[in-house]
């Protein structure tokens, strides 16, 4: 759900006039040098290409998010589906957040990155935090639904959290023990129901360790789990997780997996909050490693959709909520195995379509608006434009001469 930022390019001096080359030395215009330049350009372009692994992981994670939301209205009648639901909720958002943290490592609060944060995170939050309540007023005929930018509604909590996490990135990059501190804050949050629902700070704090972990990770850490050995080991780990999940369904409150409540709000002793943070963190990392192990490393048919996961994430909620408000999930046959499979397939297909280029073009005004009119140009950008104008003027003068 993150977009990369290109560094500023360097100004290059004009090429010198063509001269006859010495024997055996390729000139700037010679075929040998042109071939070398082509190879350099190819290598440079390859370095700028998106890593297929991360786009694949983001797409598969967002598919699991949509499937999980589609399961919510029908999972109550099936202990098996409830178990699978809890397993998916153990790792799908942690995986997504770890990737978000990994791609936030370059955030330094510079004007260009702050501008991108506002247009790519803050503005979509305002738009969809307004759109979802209005949608409920219309589709559910509920005029009492309030619009509040301080109380994230349904899916918008992630945008609020991502804004806060990214703004604090320079701090996490500066402190000596970022992950233990983040875990300590998450543990403290679970014993503080006074935090309340403003900005969904419980989720912001309880999911914080995954974002900070992503900030601390390097590319080679992802390579460590992308091995044949880990893929083989992930199979018994996944089966064991399903067994534990099936056993835990009647014994554990599913709300623990949402990370949005303090222990006291879940009717548990205060000390269970910190314990659950550590236990869930360990389980989530284990299953996330298994998930990453099976993510394809090569370019797949869905790889390009990884760049549009924010679109799929924010838009699929309207479909799920419409079905919930309109009673689409109340049909008895949907609560049987074949109906559950159909719901799963439709959710996967639906969110896939919402990640495609046509949908991105249609909703770019809300997701990635161009708002140059709203920002002052920083000194570096003004200097680059001035140098560009001066260079163009110098070229014209030479041509005229």
């Amino acid at each position: 759900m993150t977009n990369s930022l290109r560094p500023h390019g360097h100004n290059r001096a004009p090429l010198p006039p063509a001269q006859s080359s010495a024997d055996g030395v390729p000139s700037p215009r010679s075929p040998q040098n042109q071939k070398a330049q082509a190879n350099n350009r190819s290598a440079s372009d390859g370095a700028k290409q998106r890593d297929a692994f991360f786009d694949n992981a983001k797409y598969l994670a967002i598919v699991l998010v949509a499937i999980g939301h589609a399961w919510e209205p029908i999972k109550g009648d099936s202990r098996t589906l409830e178990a699978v639901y809890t397993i998916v909720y153990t790792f799908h958002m942690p995986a997504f957040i770890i990737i978000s943290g990994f791609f936030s490592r370059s955030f330094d609060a510079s004007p260009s990155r702050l501008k991108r944060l506002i247009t790519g995170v803050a503005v979509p939050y305002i738009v969809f935090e307004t759109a979802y309540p209005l949608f409920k007023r219309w589709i559910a005929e509920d005029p009492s639904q309030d619009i509040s930018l301080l109380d994230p509604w349904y899916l918008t909590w992630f945008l609020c959290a991502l804004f806060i996490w990214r703004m604090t990135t320079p701090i996490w990059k500066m402190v000596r023990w970022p992950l233990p501190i983040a875990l300590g804050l998450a543990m403290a949050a679970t014993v503080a129901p006074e935090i309340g629902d403003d900005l969904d700070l419980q989720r912001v704090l309880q999911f914080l360790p995954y974002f900070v972990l992503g900030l601390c990770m390097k590319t080679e850490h992802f390579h460590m789990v992308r091995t044949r050995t880990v893929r083989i080991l992930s199979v018994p780990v996944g089966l064991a997780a399903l067994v534990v999940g099936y056993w835990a369904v009647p014994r554990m409150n599913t709300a623990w997996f949402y990370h949005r409540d303090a222990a006291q709000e879940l009717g548990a002793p205060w000390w269970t909050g910190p314990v659950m943070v550590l236990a869930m963190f360990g389980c989530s990392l284990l299953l996330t490693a298994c998930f990453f192990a099976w993510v394809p490393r090569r370019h797949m048919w869905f790889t390009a959709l990884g760049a549009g996961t924010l679109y799929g994430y924010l838009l699929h909620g309207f479909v799920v909520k419409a079905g919930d408000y309109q009673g689409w999930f109340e049909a008895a046959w949907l609560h049987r195995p074949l109906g559950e499979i159909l719901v799963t397939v439709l959710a996967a297909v639906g969110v896939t379509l919402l990640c495609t280029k046509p949908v991105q073009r249609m909703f770019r005004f809300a997701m990635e608006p161009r708002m140059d009119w709203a920002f002052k140009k920083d000194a570096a950008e003004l200097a680059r434009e001035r140098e560009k104008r001066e260079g163009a003027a110098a070229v014209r003068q030479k041509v005229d001469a």
Side-chain angles (χ1 to χ4, degrees):
M1 120 171 21
T2 56
N3 293 287
S4 60
L5 294 165
R6 294 183 179 177
H8 302 313
H10 299 287
N11 293 327
R12 294 180 295 179
L15 290 173
Q19 299 175 350
S20 58
S21 60
D23 294 339
V25 181
S27 72
R29 313 271 183 198
S30 67
Q32 296 94 327
N33 195 67
Q34 290 177 0
K35 183 176 180 180
Q37 290 176 352
N39 291 336
N40 290 336
R41 284 195 301 269
S42 177
S44 177
D45 292 342
K48 294 179 181 179
Q49 288 180 352
R50 298 174 66 97
D51 191 323
F53 168 79
F54 291 107
D55 277 335
N56 292 339
K58 290 196 296 179
Y59 166 76
L60 294 174
I62 214 64
V63 167
L64 291 175
V65 169
I67 289 174
H69 289 152
W71 280 345
E72 286 180 6
I74 63 175
K75 65 183 177 63
D77 296 328
S78 173
R79 182 173 175 177
T80 300
L81 185 60
E82 183 86 32
V84 177
Y85 174 87
T86 57
I87 297 304
V88 168
Y89 263 72
T90 303
F91 73 88
H92 70 350
M93 283 309 297
F96 206 88
I97 294 169
I98 287 172
I99 295 175
S100 298
F102 178 75
F103 284 102
S104 297
R105 295 172 303 162
S106 61
F107 184 84
D108 56 3
S110 62
S112 61
R113 286 177 167 81
L114 286 174
K115 176 182 175 182
R116 181 60 188 162
L117 182 63
I118 292 172
T119 58
V121 178
V123 171
Y125 171 77
I126 295 172
V127 170
F128 282 87
E129 183 63 11
T130 303
Y132 268 115
L134 291 176
F135 179 74
K136 184 179 181 181
R137 287 186 183 184
W138 171 64
I139 199 76
E141 299 181 357
D142 182 12
S144 64
Q145 176 64 47
D146 294 330
I147 299 175
S148 173
L149 297 181
L150 295 179
D151 187 11
W153 199 81
Y154 196 35
L155 303 176
T156 56
W157 72 267
F158 178 73
L159 293 177
C160 179
L162 184 60
F163 185 89
I164 296 173
W165 293 334
R166 198 163 284 174
M167 284 295 293
T168 60
T169 292
I171 298 176
W172 299 114
K173 291 164 62 177
M174 179 181 64
V175 298
R176 182 168 294 180
W177 302 290
L179 187 56
I181 294 174
L183 280 170
L185 290 174
M187 295 166 68
T190 61
V191 299
E194 307 82 26
I195 290 178
D197 297 327
D198 289 349
L199 299 179
D200 226 343
L201 286 179
Q202 278 289 351
R203 270 178 167 163
V204 172
L205 293 173
Q206 291 191 37
F207 276 115
L208 175 63
Y210 302 100
F211 182 82
V212 173
L213 176 62
L215 288 175
C216 299
M217 293 181 69
K218 299 179 180 179
T219 306
E220 52 264 31
H221 294 140
F222 291 94
H223 291 310
M224 292 172 62
V225 300
R226 292 159 55 183
T227 64
R228 180 181 177 85
T229 301
V230 177
R231 281 198 297 272
I232 294 173
L233 291 175
S234 67
V235 175
V237 170
L239 293 175
L242 287 174
V243 172
V244 173
Y246 189 85
W247 172 86
V249 166
R251 298 173 174 85
M252 183 177 176
N253 190 340
T254 308
W256 284 110
F257 296 91
Y258 303 147
H259 299 277
R260 67 185 180 198
D261 300 297
Q264 298 92 321
E265 294 173 300
L266 298 178
W270 68 267
W271 56 267
T272 59
V275 172
M276 286 300 294
V277 165
L278 295 177
M280 294 289 291
F281 187 71
C283 293
S284 296
L285 291 188
L286 180 62
L287 293 180
T288 299
C290 295
F291 169 71
F292 284 150
W294 282 97
V295 172
R297 288 172 284 182
R298 64 186 184 279
H299 194 280
M300 306 291 289
W301 64 266
F302 53 79
T303 301
L305 301 177
T309 49
L310 182 62
Y311 292 80
Y313 176 79
L314 290 174
L315 294 173
H316 86 275
F318 291 104
V319 181
V320 174
K321 284 300 182 183
D324 195 14
Y325 298 145
Q326 296 296 309
W328 299 348
F329 298 102
E330 294 177 3
W333 65 274
L334 285 179
H335 296 251
R336 302 190 184 101
L338 288 179
E340 294 164 358
I341 294 174
L342 177 62
V343 169
T344 303
V345 172
L346 290 177
V349 172
V351 76
T352 297
L353 294 175
L354 293 175
C355 293
T356 57
K357 291 293 184 182
V359 174
Q360 292 182 42
R361 287 193 292 269
M362 187 182 303
F363 290 96
R364 184 165 285 125
F365 73 94
M367 307 283 199
E368 301 174 274
R370 294 185 61 86
M371 297 178 59
D372 294 338
W373 54 269
F375 301 98
K376 296 180 179 179
K377 292 184 178 179
D378 62 279
E381 186 176 356
L382 290 172
R384 287 194 302 273
E385 291 183 356
R386 184 169 58 253
E387 291 177 2
K388 187 182 298 183
R389 289 194 300 269
E390 292 175 352
V395 170
R396 285 195 297 270
Q397 289 176 359
K398 289 183 179 179
V399 172
D400 293 340

